[in-house]
Amino acid sequence: MATDLDIGMNDWMVKRLTWDDSYRPDHGKVLDAAALEKLKRFSRYHDVDGDGIAARTLPGVGGKGAYFVRGSGHDKHAAYTEDSDAYRELVDRLKRKFDHAATLVPRPAYTRRPNADVGLVTLGSCDAAVREAADRLADQEIIVDVMRIRSFPFADEVREFIEAYDSVFVIEQNRDGQVRTLLTAELGIPRDAMTPILDYGGMPLTARVVVEAVTGALSEVTA
Amino acid sequence: MTSIVKPPVRHPSLRTNTLGLTLRDYEGVMSTLCAGCGHDSVTAALVQAAWELALEPHRAAKMSGIGCSSKTTAYFMKQSHGFNSVHGRMPSVTTGAAAANRGLTYIGISGDGDSLSIGIGQLAHAIRRNVDMLYVIENNGVYGLTKGQFSASADVGSTSKRGEANEMSPIDPVLLALSIGATFVARSFSGDKKQLVPILKAGIAHKGFALVDVISPCVTFNDHDGSTKSYLYTREHEVEAVHAHYVPVLSEISLPDSDDAVRVVAMHDGSAVRLRPTATDYDPTDRTSAEAHVRACQDRGEIATGLLFVDEKSRDMHELLKTPDRPLIDIPFEQLCPGSAALEALMDGHR
Amino acid sequence: MDPTDVSDPRYYHKVVDCQWACPAHTNVPAYIRLIAQGRYTESYLLNRQSNVFPGILGRTCDRPCEPACRRGRVDDKPVAICRLKRVAADLRDEIRPFLPKAPEIKNGKRIALIGAGPASLTVANDLLPLGYEVVIYERNREPGGLMRINIPSFRLPASVLDEECGYIIDMGYGTPVTSLTALLDEGYDAVFVGSGAPQGKDLELPGRHDAPAQVHLGIEWLANVHFKHVERIEPRVIIIGVGNTAMDCCRTAKRLGAIDVKVIARRGRKHFKASPWELEDAEEERVEIVENHAPTRMVVENGHLVGMEFDVLEWTESAGRQTSRVVRSVVIPCDAVILAIGQENAFPWIERHAGVEFDAQGMPVVDRVTHQSTNPRVFFGGDAAWGPQNIIWAVAHGHQAAISIDLLCHGRPVTERPPEGMTLVSVKNGLHSWAYDNDFDPAARQVMRHEELTRRFRDLHVEVELGFAPEQVATEVSRCLNCDIQTHFAAPKCIECDACIDVCPTNCLTITTDGCSETEMRTRLSAPALNLEQEIYISHSLPQTTRVMVKDEDVCLHCGLCAERCPTAAWDMRLFDLLAPKPGAACGREELVHA
Ligand SMILES: Cc1cc2nc3c(=O)[nH]c(=O)nc-3n(C[C@H](O)[C@H](O)[C@H](O)COP(=O)(O)OP(=O)(O)OC[C@H]3O[C@@H](n4cnc5c(N)ncnc54)[C@H](O)[C@@H]3O)c2cc1C
Ligand SMILES: Cc1ncc(C[n+]2csc(CCOP(=O)(O)OP(=O)(O)O)c2C)c(N)n1
Ligand code: SF4
Ligand code: SF4
Ligand code: SF4
Ligand SMILES: [Mg+2]
């Protein structure tokens, strides 16, 4: 991102942060020594319950928990393999894990106004500028909804949001429209159903860029 | 790749160590390296060393990068955690692991390519931090895995299999390590387990970063006539500068040594190494002396081997960074997390 | 040290433990591989070359090969070598077309064989194809010797005997020899005495002859059962002795109506002569085995045997010598006693002037190698030579005697034994691919299936062992380590990379400095070579360091991993085939000497 300098060289105000002292981290499926003892054999990449997530162990915990993390082809026991079926089984598990992850990751943040027929899709540091642009467009009686994607893989709401509007703009700060490409690739939404608004001049995105791009595009349609 | 796995049969007189394990319990899976590769002998030496030290397999972590050499971690101690990281990144991954869990024994295996080209920056900083680990470079002068290109350790004049000579000056990991403050520096030869095994044991016992450069011939790409890292060349040019003898418990050698030339270095864990330099003016506990000696050997066209330098009094990463004395996994969350009060104080500090 | 000379066939032969231990040097691993490939007929024929009676031996052999088998040293129990032999015999096709034929035109030499036991039959088997005219004298109507009349048919069916004896002879006879000199006068060029040890040993005790109808000599009684002279026995039977004969007697008695059968031994179990599996089989049939009882008297009341009296002994061992003490004496009631305490030789038909010398014990003086007696034309083999042994030894004797007879008939000294030969061929098919299955199968030894107890006793002839089921065969053959596939080393090729040393699962290999004594070198190997009966191999000196490669043959698995991991093929796996000397092979080209 070209905004590094802007972020790095200036002081930024944030809201006061809070910390919930009752919070305890959930490490997920981690087998302790006792659980390992009960197993005949620990298989690092074996999906027992179908959610695609295999239990892991922490180094040094139990003799049975050891496994080898490797880049070369391996089977569900983390053992080297050249067997296609064993390898395919693992890659299919990763797909299940990925799909399952989409249901657990943070949901997108979005507005739903009854009379909006334009959707603005954005993410990350573009958000503030896009929301400001939405207010300015409302001044011009263009009612838009804004969705900030907060995670990948995309949650179902991402698709629902995009499919709900006649006009959808994807606002991102790069030359190639990477987020739009991902939306097409992952959700199968036709490229042309989403109009890119790309800003890559090295400065933080401003609401003006968004407002001009949206009004310009809409007037083209009406013209 | 061999056609079968090693039969689970043991020699009837195979002994067990204090954990009741046999040598074979320290083996890993069958090697897929070329037959005759020096790396497999290093594996065998590691198996021997770990068995003799009676390392608890599940309390060791085997770390490596990418290369034929880095595959070694799969071939010993199958009951230990192993991590085959990205090319040249093993020093950093191990630094992280060691930071989180200081209770484990870290055994890092790398190659001359992995350590001296892409990973040289990582290696240098792990040495500076004095991460408590054994760091073995299986040095064959080539990138074996990618089919035998010269590596940064190739000597000037050494030829490739096709006959072209290397003209760039080599990086000697031993001199590199000595010059940036390594606290344990050794060189050995895969074809000499008598020398290698005690060095590996001492390296594991050492508290801090133990660099062991092992000449480990690549039979496929660098074992020909013009090679300076072949079995024959190494045998003809190797000069053992310091003979190391590893003594498991200090008390066994508390008797004064009659021989002045022998230096006994007490290791942090109660064991000791006895070092016998072959030259009288060489002190393997003195960095300047060691560096001078290795350089002088190099000038004579000799390969200095042995436990060349050891400094057991230095501070390792945890001491330098004043980290807690326990692995993070053993520290309760309440203690690990400073909580909302600390956050408040931090934010107030920024007002 | 002098490097090992592997060009001497004895070196590699000794590595094939089973073949080395087999008196007839049966090529066990090769026949097991043939079974593994389903080539039963070939397997049978290969067996037959050395042991002549695969079907018989596959059921009854004393199996000296099994205690020697390498598998027993590395993994608990030996390969079931013997019962695999039976598999080949059971599943073979018609083999007659493949047997050597006696030529129409004879070589003019006439040989007499006395007795049609395994020893004589082997001599006939070896000499007939060479053109000898062979005449067998046998007092029984059917051939087979003790195998026929003493080994019970529930262990060895008559059909198997008929077939395998039939491959050698097809004649009706029944001529006892009553005079050796008369026979020699008939102009035979050589006479082979294979008359066995046909007499059961008696036990002279008070009361021994007071109730003769109830006291039997083991081998006679078994013969009488065979000839159907005996078809019943009383309910309570005592067997004296714990050898093979005792085992057959007790089990036969069970089949002839006995209910309570006790086998009584003077000493403890570990001193028994019977093989462990025979004891197991007997106990499975509820025969009681009583240890440490020495017989003192037969208790006869009114001319009727009612029991036997024994001293109960307690044995103590000191300085390797066993001494006994009588604790008390007991009477064990019984209705019949079978004495099975051994066999004796008897040669009433050999006249003192026949030129055959006898020693003080009444045994003929016979050369251990040539089997020749002091009468150069008379040879002895089998139980007749040095007392009772077993079938496979009788076969081995037969082969050696046939060589001697062949030499004699060619006018050559019988001491000029033809040498053993060998072939040694690489089994490398390609990179890490061998012409044998080198993967180790950790399976346990298969247990023989037995006929149900109730069914066994219905008829004397019901065979107890059912043979291995097909899955058992598949498993058992894969347990063989292929010891005949030898690790062959070429020192000049070795670059001392240690790959072979590192990979060897049983630490057989060492590269070390040369030493001056084998005893000393044995101690500094990767794992000390403690079994002195097994050779260590010492190579020529290695090119780079002048050290030597040493191999302890003791627990080598013949897995071939040393050869797979060797970058220079300094180690190779080579198939060793022993070329055992045979009559005809060494002397065949000589003109026959006509007397
Ligand atoms: C009860 C019993 C069970 C046995 N079980 C086994 C076993 O399971 N496995 C095993 O390997 N061994 C066994 N043996 C031993 C084995 O049977 C003998 O060692 C073997 O048969 C000896 O063979 P042979 O050729 O020397 O003589 P034999 O088999 O004894 O044959 C000698 C032949 O010579 C004939 N003969 C003798 N004198 C004359 C004569 N004057 N004229 C003509 N013919 C004559 C006899 O009738 C007989 O047929 C057993 C022995 C006994 C007694
Ligand atoms: C980031 C990255 N760059 C390059 C490679 C290609 N590569 C794989 S192994 C290797 C060199 C290995 O040489 P060395 O560490 O000496 O190991 P050897 O095979 O000789 O034992 C290279 C360049 C890679 N895997 N990853
Ligand atoms: S290419 Fe070279 S370094 Fe790699 S396995 Fe083969 S011999 Fe060893
Ligand atoms: S393993 Fe096979 S070849 Fe070796 S001794 Fe046993 S039966 Fe014979
Ligand atoms: S593997 Fe081959 S070259 Fe290497 S030490 Fe063994 S015999 Fe020699
Ligand atoms: Mg390399």
Side-chain angles (χ1 to χ4, degrees):
Chain A
M1 287 227 184
T3 54
D4 281 2
L5 205 60
D6 186 43
I7 293 171
M9 299 297 284
N10 298 307
D11 283 339
W12 293 78
M13 297 297 288
V14 291
K15 285 209 190 90
R16 235 185 137 77
L17 302 171
T18 57
W19 179 258
D20 174 4
D21 280 324
S22 68
Y23 168 80
R24 288 294 172 275
D26 175 6
H27 293 297
K29 300 177 191 172
V30 179
L31 301 178
D32 60 12
L36 280 168
E37 252 339 286
K38 280 188 222 129
L39 291 180
K40 215 155 119 211
R41 177 181 185 183
F42 167 64
S43 302
R44 173 63 185 92
Y45 304 115
H46 183 40
D47 177 14
V48 221
D49 48 14
D51 63 3
I53 303 165
R56 64 197 173 100
T57 56
L58 298 177
V61 166
K64 279 187 192 162
Y67 63 96
F68 194 81
V69 182
R70 63 175 81 227
S72 44
H74 48 271
D75 62 15
K76 65 179 171 207
H77 313 295
Y80 179 78
T81 185
E82 290 177 15
D83 181 284
S84 304
D85 288 336
Y87 188 64
R88 210 173 287 124
E89 185 187 335
L90 281 209
V91 180
D92 287 343
R93 178 188 68 85
L94 287 176
K95 169 80 175 126
R96 279 201 305 283
K97 181 175 175 181
F98 191 76
D99 292 345
H100 183 63
T103 68
L104 301 175
V105 293
R107 315 278 92 193
Y110 54 87
T111 55
R112 270 294 173 85
R113 300 172 206 202
N115 45 355
D117 45 20
V118 175
L120 304 185
V121 178
T122 189
L123 75 168
S125 60
C126 304
D127 182 54
V130 175
R131 273 189 283 116
E132 186 186 333
D135 291 344
R136 299 235 197 117
L137 287 167
D139 295 344
Q140 298 177 33
E141 283 174 11
I142 303 173
I143 310 301
V144 301
D145 275 328
V146 176
M147 171 173 73
R148 174 163 70 101
I149 297 173
R150 292 169 65 217
S151 61
F152 183 83
F154 301 124
D156 281 348
E157 290 100 315
V158 173
R159 176 207 301 280
E160 285 159 16
F161 181 92
I162 295 172
E163 284 174 354
Y165 302 92
D166 294 339
S167 299
V168 173
F169 295 85
V170 181
I171 302 132
E172 49 187 314
Q173 298 184 71
N174 62 71
R175 188 194 62 194
D176 299 331
Q178 291 159 4
V179 175
R180 188 176 68 144
T181 304
L182 276 179
L183 289 167
T184 300
E186 296 294 313
L187 303 177
I189 299 169
R191 257 173 88 80
D192 296 343
M194 300 174 287
T195 309
I197 299 176
L198 304 171
D199 185 59
Y200 43 90
M203 287 293 163
L205 179 72
T206 57
R208 173 143 40 104
V209 172
V210 179
V211 171
E212 280 171 7
V214 171
T215 48
L218 290 178
S219 64
E220 238 172 71
V221 177
T222 42
Chain B
M1 199 176 162
T2 32
S3 62
I4 57 168
V5 299
K6 199 160 162 173
V9 176
R10 305 174 157 176
H11 193 284
S13 60
L14 203 58
R15 288 173 303 141
T16 52
N17 62 14
T18 53
L19 296 177
L21 300 176
T22 70
L23 194 70
R24 297 223 38 202
D25 294 322
Y26 286 81
E27 288 177 350
V29 300
M30 217 45 192
S31 167
T32 56
L33 300 178
C34 305
C37 178
H39 302 350
D40 281 338
S41 289
V42 181
T43 303
L46 285 159
V47 168
Q48 182 79 31
W51 176 76
E52 286 178 14
L53 288 175
L55 279 192
E56 267 189 282
H58 78 281
R59 300 293 298 164
K62 307 168 297 177
M63 315 296 293
S64 63
I66 297 292
C68 298
S69 33
S70 292
K71 291 169 79 171
T72 298
T73 38
Y75 308 143
F76 67 97
M77 292 171 80
K78 56 179 165 299
Q79 301 171 61
S80 306
H81 261 82
F83 200 105
N84 211 179
S85 78
V86 183
H87 199 21
R89 268 56 183 172
M90 180 269 278
S92 318
V93 175
T94 312
T95 305
N101 190 340
R102 59 185 300 169
L104 304 181
T105 301
Y106 292 93
I107 301 177
I109 314 287
S110 178
D112 42 328
D114 194 57
S115 282
L116 303 178
S117 290
I118 192 168
I120 193 165
Q122 312 250 324
L123 168 63
H125 293 288
I127 292 175
R128 287 183 57 248
R129 287 197 175 99
N130 206 17
V131 178
D132 186 9
M133 70 180 297
L134 172 71
Y135 193 103
V136 178
I137 300 179
E138 295 175 350
N139 189 343
N140 53 16
V142 287
Y143 298 166
L145 192 74
T146 55
K147 306 251 174 295
Q149 302 82 352
F150 285 125
S151 78
S153 75
D155 294 304
V156 173
S158 171
T159 62
S160 72
K161 224 176 167 183
R162 288 190 171 165
E164 75 259 36
N166 171 52
E167 312 219 0
M168 284 187 275
S169 72
I171 301 174
D172 177 352
V174 162
L175 287 173
L176 171 78
L178 283 171
S179 71
I180 56 175
T183 52
F184 181 113
V185 183
R187 177 155 30 226
S188 190
F189 170 40
S190 68
D192 185 358
K193 286 199 200 72
K194 273 211 186 73
Q195 184 192 59
L196 179 54
V197 172
I199 289 179
L200 294 174
K201 284 160 70 178
I204 291 171
H206 173 66
K207 186 163 142 295
F209 194 90
L211 182 115
V212 185
D213 176 37
V214 188
I215 310 295
S216 174
C218 170
V219 277
T220 302
F221 298 111
N222 207 11
D223 194 41
H224 43 266
D225 285 346
S227 157
T228 59
K229 295 235 173 357
S230 64
Y231 282 105
L232 186 59
Y233 188 94
T234 309
R235 286 200 166 100
E236 284 173 347
H237 294 80
E238 178 197 350
V239 174
E240 188 174 57
V242 188
H243 182 78
H245 176 68
Y246 179 81
V247 190
V249 185
L250 187 56
S251 60
E252 286 177 27
I253 51 133
S254 54
L255 290 173
D257 211 295
S258 56
D259 190 341
D260 292 345
V262 173
R263 284 200 163 65
V264 179
V265 178
M267 306 305 276
H268 194 79
D269 63 358
S271 62
V273 273
R274 297 165 45 127
L275 303 174
R276 183 194 298 276
T278 49
T280 44
D281 60 340
Y282 176 18
D283 176 1
T285 60
D286 178 82
R287 189 181 299 275
T288 319
S289 172
E291 233 178 312
H293 196 85
V294 174
R295 219 175 268 288
C297 283
Q298 208 175 49
D299 292 344
R300 287 195 297 272
E302 294 170 356
I303 306 165
T305 60
L307 210 181
L308 300 165
F309 173 73
V310 55
D311 166 12
E312 193 61 15
K313 296 196 186 65
S314 60
R315 292 180 298 159
D316 80 337
M317 175 177 75
H318 286 283
E319 280 175 84
L320 291 167
L321 300 180
K322 301 188 187 63
T323 60
D325 59 358
R326 283 169 298 161
L328 300 187
I329 185 181
D330 294 339
I331 302 178
F333 181 75
E334 294 67 33
Q335 237 169 298
L336 267 184
C337 172
S340 54
L343 180 63
E344 290 298 325
L346 181 77
M347 287 188 293
D348 289 342
H350 282 279
R351 283 225 166 256
Chain C
M1 290 276 314
D2 284 340
T4 308
D5 177 13
V6 296
S7 66
D8 178 349
R10 288 174 63 85
Y11 181 76
Y12 283 141
H13 184 189
K14 208 166 170 214
V15 174
V16 196
D17 297 289
C18 49
Q19 191 178 18
W20 180 260
C22 172
H25 301 319
T26 303
N27 190 344
V28 176
Y31 86 63
I32 291 183
R33 280 194 298 273
L34 287 168
I35 295 173
Q37 294 162 14
R39 292 155 69 187
Y40 306 112
T41 305
E42 284 157 273
S43 180
Y44 181 88
L45 289 168
L46 180 67
N47 256 292
R48 198 181 176 282
Q49 267 176 27
S50 32
N51 60 49
V52 189
F53 307 104
I56 294 170
L57 287 164
R59 293 168 164 85
T60 62
C61 188
D62 262 358
R63 352 173 177 166
C65 53
E66 292 192 13
C69 170
R70 183 169 297 256
R71 183 87 191 202
R73 288 199 297 281
V74 301
D75 178 46
D76 208 23
K77 291 214 176 110
V79 175
I81 301 172
C82 179
R83 295 320 190 241
L84 285 174
K85 203 187 305 299
R86 174 176 169 182
V87 170
D90 286 354
L91 303 178
R92 73 184 191 272
D93 299 326
E94 176 57 47
I95 60 138
R96 274 180 195 270
F98 306 110
L99 293 179
K101 307 231 164 19
E104 295 278 312
I105 301 162
K106 301 295 172 194
N107 70 4
K109 296 286 171 183
R110 292 177 70 232
I111 314 295
L113 310 179
I114 305 176
S120 293
L121 290 173
T122 301
V123 179
N125 175 69
D126 288 4
L127 295 182
L128 282 169
L130 301 177
Y132 285 88
E133 190 188 324
V134 175
V135 179
I136 303 183
Y137 293 82
E138 165 61 59
R139 63 179 172 204
N140 293 330
R141 209 169 40 76
E142 289 166 316
L146 290 186
M147 307 193 294
R148 167 92 52 189
I149 64 168
N150 262 218
I151 299 184
S153 49
F154 58 81
R155 282 209 290 134
L156 177 57
S159 58
V160 175
L161 261 167
D162 290 343
E163 232 171 0
E164 290 193 329
C165 295
Y167 291 144
I168 302 165
I169 33 162
D170 281 309
M171 52 173 125
Y173 53 73
T175 333
V177 173
T178 50
S179 159
L180 178 61
T181 45
L183 200 65
L184 288 168
D185 289 345
E186 280 184 40
Y188 284 107
D189 293 283
V191 173
F192 175 80
V193 182
S195 56
Q199 208 158 291
K201 272 194 193 155
D202 209 330
L203 183 65
E204 288 308 331
L205 288 178
R208 158 68 181 92
H209 301 287
D210 296 351
Q214 287 163 278
V215 182
H216 314 280
L217 286 183
I219 67 165
E220 265 173 29
W221 183 74
L222 286 170
N224 284 331
V225 172
H226 169 79
F227 292 121
K228 300 201 168 64
H229 302 152
V230 168
E231 288 180 320
R232 301 291 305 162
I233 194 160
E234 293 80 353
R236 294 174 304 169
V237 181
I238 280 181
I239 320 269
I240 304 294
V242 267
N244 312 25
T245 310
M247 292 301 113
D248 284 338
C249 288
C250 66
R251 296 176 68 192
T252 303
K254 274 266 173 180
R255 285 159 174 78
L256 297 187
I259 292 159
D260 170 10
V261 180
K262 291 190 172 70
V263 172
I264 315 249
R266 284 179 70 86
R267 313 189 64 187
R269 205 171 253 259
K270 64 174 185 227
H271 302 284
F272 290 3
K273 273 210 195 124
S275 327
W277 59 86
E278 286 182 300
L279 288 164
E280 272 169 33
D281 292 350
E283 288 187 311
E284 183 183 321
E285 296 182 0
R286 317 248 160 82
V287 168
E288 191 185 337
I289 299 190
V290 182
E291 294 168 82
N292 305 325
H293 278 55
T296 51
R297 187 166 70 91
M298 303 212 179
V299 186
V300 179
E301 285 169 7
N302 311 323
H304 207 78
L305 177 81
V306 293
M308 231 180 133
E309 189 180 84
F310 295 88
D311 279 347
V312 181
L313 304 180
E314 196 179 84
W315 293 88
T316 43
E317 198 185 294
S318 67
R321 278 189 60 115
Q322 302 260 335
T323 44
S324 65
R325 187 175 71 86
V326 177
V327 186
R328 64 197 142 90
S329 86
V330 289
V331 171
I332 300 179
C334 67
D335 311 311
V337 169
I338 301 176
L339 299 171
I341 53 170
Q343 287 157 262
E344 282 171 331
N345 291 76
F347 303 99
W349 45 274
I350 303 186
E351 298 87 349
R352 294 294 127 189
H353 61 277
V356 177
E357 236 176 75
F358 282 82
D359 65 14
Q361 282 76 45
M363 293 298 288
V365 176
V366 179
D367 186 278
R368 286 270 167 191
V369 177
T370 64
H371 292 254
Q372 198 174 38
S373 72
T374 50
N375 180 335
R377 279 160 68 204
V378 180
F379 298 83
F380 284 75
D383 289 358
W386 299 288
Q389 263 176 315
N390 57 32
I391 303 170
I392 192 67
W393 271 111
V395 170
H397 291 172
H399 285 312
Q400 291 306 321
I403 291 173
S404 296
I405 292 169
D406 193 41
L407 287 166
L408 180 83
C409 290
H410 286 78
R412 305 255 300 260
V414 290
T415 48
E416 213 177 75
R417 312 303 291 176
E420 282 190 340
M422 66 167 177
T423 57
L424 200 60
V425 185
S426 177
V427 290
K428 201 179 179 99
N429 276 348
L431 202 62
H432 306 154
S433 144
W434 307 102
Y436 77 112
D437 178 9
N438 60 335
D439 206 354
F440 179 83
D441 184 342
R445 183 181 163 114
Q446 298 299 294
V447 179
M448 178 52 63
R449 301 174 306 149
H450 282 177
E451 182 60 272
E452 265 176 53
L453 274 180
T454 48
R455 299 257 288 276
R456 294 190 203 175
F457 295 127
R458 263 181 221 163
D459 175 349
L460 185 59
H461 305 295
V462 173
E463 191 174 8
V464 172
E465 292 193 358
L466 300 175
F468 282 142
E471 327 76 71
Q472 287 184 297
V473 175
T475 308
E476 196 58 35
V477 290
S478 70
R479 293 183 71 238
C480 173
L481 300 170
N482 303 290
C483 302
D484 59 336
I485 309 232
Q486 307 280 352
T487 55
H488 182 81
F489 186 67
K493 288 186 182 170
C494 176
I495 57 169
E496 298 169 61
C497 69
D498 280 3
C500 53
I501 318 272
D502 297 338
V503 81
C504 176
T506 47
N507 309 75
C508 298
L509 305 176
T510 311
I511 296 181
T512 182
T513 46
D514 205 352
C516 40
S517 89
E518 193 188 298
T519 328
E520 181 271 325
M521 290 192 76
R522 275 179 179 271
T523 62
R524 39 181 182 96
L525 307 184
S526 309
L530 303 176
N531 185 354
L532 299 182
E533 277 166 33
Q534 291 281 321
E535 307 276 331
I536 65 170
Y537 164 86
I538 299 171
S539 77
H540 287 268
S541 75
L542 303 178
Q544 291 195 7
T545 64
T546 73
R547 293 180 297 172
V548 287
M549 176 73 75
V550 184
K551 179 183 179 208
D552 172 16
E553 294 287 4
D554 191 31
V555 287
C556 169
L557 302 178
H558 297 257
C559 61
L561 284 178
C562 53
E564 288 194 14
R565 297 305 293 166
C566 178
T568 64
W571 282 113
D572 188 21
M573 299 309 287
R574 297 201 177 166
L575 174 65
F576 162 80
D577 198 355
L578 179 75
L579 304 176
K582 276 196 193 114
C587 2
R589 284 176 297 278
E590 292 282 319
E591 277 301 299
L592 280 178
V593 177
H594 287 278

